[in-house]
């Protein structure tokens, strides 16, 4: 037989211990690497104001962001990103026409994270969009995909909520069964594609989206990190837009793990276009910021959470965001 002397056994044991340590360290570092820190490239694909806002928030927080937009919409999008023409404080945002498949493919291949965000309360993003941004040949650099969904638990929804969508605010989220099934299908697709790519997913759930812009320009609580005041011009339905009033009062955010946030129930007629945050509401600003800030949080990987709006004149600080994600 083979005789192993004590010194030889000791050396082999030490070598095995070192190898085990290296393996454990590499596992730890690979886990940590799935967070996406500022300086990384983040792509945003979606529909409406929330996608523009999310790309802006990403750039302000130190990411190199890019945004897919409808062809010919560059001027409109810039007017929502920047308060004044000239763009003196130009942000690191690349606007890409959604028809330019080659440029989109190039940007996808260099992106560390993708965020999917849509204003549409009547349908989720199409399956083809999810499949396009998670192609194996272009998604090899991805670490995380963040997908905006909706509250699908059907708690405190129903007749009054559906009626408020017709009578007061077409953007009300109604949580009707066919819609729930469509959104669940996309949520499951995002999770499956993330698993196939070996990356993490985050599902961020919204109720009725409201506001999303800077508030009153020049006021003490003006928030230039959000959409420019052009947003109020585009969404105005009266002399004073309730969206502006909502933005001034609804800067607070609540995050709940899973899919538990309720709708407005029998109060829906009063809350649908109310100028203060109510149960069932999600601030666009809060949602956009939650999706971007979640990239830096290890706990947000492979998780789902709901984002609600609460009364506050100032948005959460970075330290407060970390505490908010403590529920995950």
């Amino acid at each position: 037989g083979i005789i192993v002397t004590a010194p030889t056994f000791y050396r082999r044991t030490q070598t095995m211990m070192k190898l085990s340590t290296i393996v454990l360290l590499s596992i730890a570092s690979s886990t940590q690497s799935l967070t996406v820190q500022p300086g990384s490239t983040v792509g945003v694909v979606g529909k409406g104001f929330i996608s523009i806002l999310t790309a802006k928030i990403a750039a302000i927080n130190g990411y190199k962001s890019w945004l897919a937009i409808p062809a010919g919409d560059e001027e409109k999008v810039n007017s929502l990103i920047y308060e004044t023409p000239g763009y003196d404080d130009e942000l690191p945002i690349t606007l890409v026409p959604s028809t330019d498949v080659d440029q989109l493919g190039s940007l996808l291949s260099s992106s560390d994270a993708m965020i999917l965000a849509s204003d549409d309360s009547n349908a989720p993003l199409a399956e083809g969009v999810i499949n396009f941004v998670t192609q194996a040949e272009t998604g090899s650099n991805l670490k995380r995909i963040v997908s905006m969904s909706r509250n699908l638990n059907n708690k405190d929804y129903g007749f009054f909520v559906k009626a408020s969508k017709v009578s007061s605010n077409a953007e009300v989220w109604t949580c009707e069964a066919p819609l729930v099934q469509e959104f669940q299908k996309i949520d499951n697709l995002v999770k499956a594609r993330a698993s196939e790519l070996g990356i993490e997913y985050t599902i961020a759930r919204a109720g009725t989206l409201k506001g999303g812009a800077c508030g009153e320009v020049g006021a003490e609580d003006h928030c230039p990190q959000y959409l420019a005041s052009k947003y109020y011009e585009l969404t105005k339905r009266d002399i004073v837009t309730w969206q502006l009033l909502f933005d001034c009062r609804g800067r607070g955010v609540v995050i709940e793990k899973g899919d538990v946030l309720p709708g407005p129930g029998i109060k829906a007629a009063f809350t649908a276009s109310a100028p203060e945050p109510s149960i069932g509401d999600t601030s666009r600003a809060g949602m956009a910021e939650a999706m971007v800030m979640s990239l830096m949080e290890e706990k947000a990987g492979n998780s789902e959470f709901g984002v609600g709006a609460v009364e506050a004149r100032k948005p959460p600080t970075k330290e407060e965001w970390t505490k908010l994600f403590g529920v995950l």
Side-chain angles (χ1 to χ4, degrees):
I2 299 172
I3 299 173
V4 180
T5 62
T8 305
F9 177 77
Y10 176 77
R11 283 196 301 272
R12 287 183 180 177
T13 304
Q14 289 293 95
T15 302
M16 290 300 293
M17 287 175 68
K18 284 178 183 177
L19 286 170
S20 298
T21 304
I22 290 167
V23 169
L24 288 170
L25 285 172
S26 69
I27 291 170
S29 70
S30 69
T31 302
Q32 289 169 357
S33 72
L34 292 179
T35 62
V36 182
Q37 297 299 323
S40 305
T41 299
V42 174
V44 181
V45 173
K47 292 181 188 176
F49 298 113
I50 186 72
S51 61
I52 302 168
L53 176 56
T54 302
K56 180 175 182 178
I57 293 289
I60 284 173
N61 277 278
Y63 293 98
K64 292 170 281 188
S65 75
W66 60 267
L67 171 67
I69 64 170
D73 268 14
E74 188 171 346
E75 187 176 342
K76 178 184 175 182
V77 171
N78 276 325
S79 75
L80 286 160
I81 294 173
Y82 303 102
E83 190 61 47
T84 53
Y87 320 132
D88 294 331
D89 301 317
E90 196 157 336
L91 294 164
I93 304 174
T94 302
L95 303 181
V96 191
S98 54
T99 52
D100 192 340
V101 179
D102 290 340
Q103 190 180 5
L104 285 172
S106 175
L107 286 166
L108 277 167
S109 65
S110 63
S111 295
D112 300 283
M114 287 299 303
I115 301 178
L116 309 175
S118 173
D119 279 341
D120 195 345
S121 60
N122 300 311
L125 290 175
E127 286 184 47
V129 174
I130 315 303
N131 290 327
F132 180 74
V133 301
T134 56
Q135 298 174 76
E137 55 268 30
T138 54
S140 58
N141 199 53
L142 287 178
K143 297 179 180 70
R144 193 177 289 184
I145 180 168
V146 181
S147 181
M148 181 190 142
S149 185
R150 297 282 178 159
N151 300 328
L152 305 179
N153 60 69
N154 204 28
K155 183 181 179 184
D156 293 336
Y157 285 94
F159 172 78
F160 293 103
V161 180
K162 284 186 272 187
S164 74
K165 184 180 181 75
V166 175
S167 63
S168 303
N169 179 2
E171 293 189 303
V172 164
W173 167 245
T174 59
C175 203
E176 294 174 76
L179 277 176
V180 168
Q181 290 172 5
E182 287 182 46
F183 275 89
Q184 284 174 336
K185 187 176 180 182
I186 294 302
D187 291 351
N188 291 334
L189 177 60
V190 168
K191 293 175 187 178
R193 299 296 292 136
S195 177
E196 288 166 22
L197 288 175
I199 65 173
E200 292 182 336
Y201 70 84
T202 301
I203 307 289
R205 302 193 178 280
T208 295
L209 288 175
K210 293 183 176 179
C214 57
E216 190 175 348
V217 177
E220 189 179 340
D221 55 4
H222 175 231
C223 292
Q225 67 268 42
Y226 302 137
L227 293 177
S229 59
K230 180 74 173 178
Y231 167 79
Y232 303 123
E233 183 185 320
L234 294 174
T235 59
K236 197 172 183 179
R237 300 288 180 269
D238 213 329
I239 296 171
V240 177
T241 171
W242 64 265
Q243 303 268 14
L244 169 60
L245 299 174
F246 179 89
D247 277 336
C248 293
R249 298 178 61 174
R251 298 294 190 202
V253 175
V254 62
I255 286 181
E256 293 288 351
K257 184 177 181 178
D259 181 10
V260 298
L261 288 178
I266 60 172
K267 296 180 180 178
F270 306 103
T271 63
S273 55
E276 66 279 333
S278 310
I279 292 173
D281 289 347
T282 300
S283 160
R284 272 188 189 81
M287 173 54 79
E289 212 149 22
M291 291 190 289
V292 171
M293 301 305 283
S294 75
L295 294 172
M296 308 176 206
E297 298 293 332
E298 204 169 320
K299 285 184 174 181
N302 293 333
S303 74
E304 338 185 351
F305 56 83
V307 181
V310 291
E311 191 130 355
R313 290 274 175 177
K314 293 182 179 179
T317 62
K318 286 193 176 182
E319 293 73 22
E320 288 167 339
W321 274 112
T322 297
K323 288 180 183 177
L324 285 168
F325 284 118
V327 301
L328 302 181

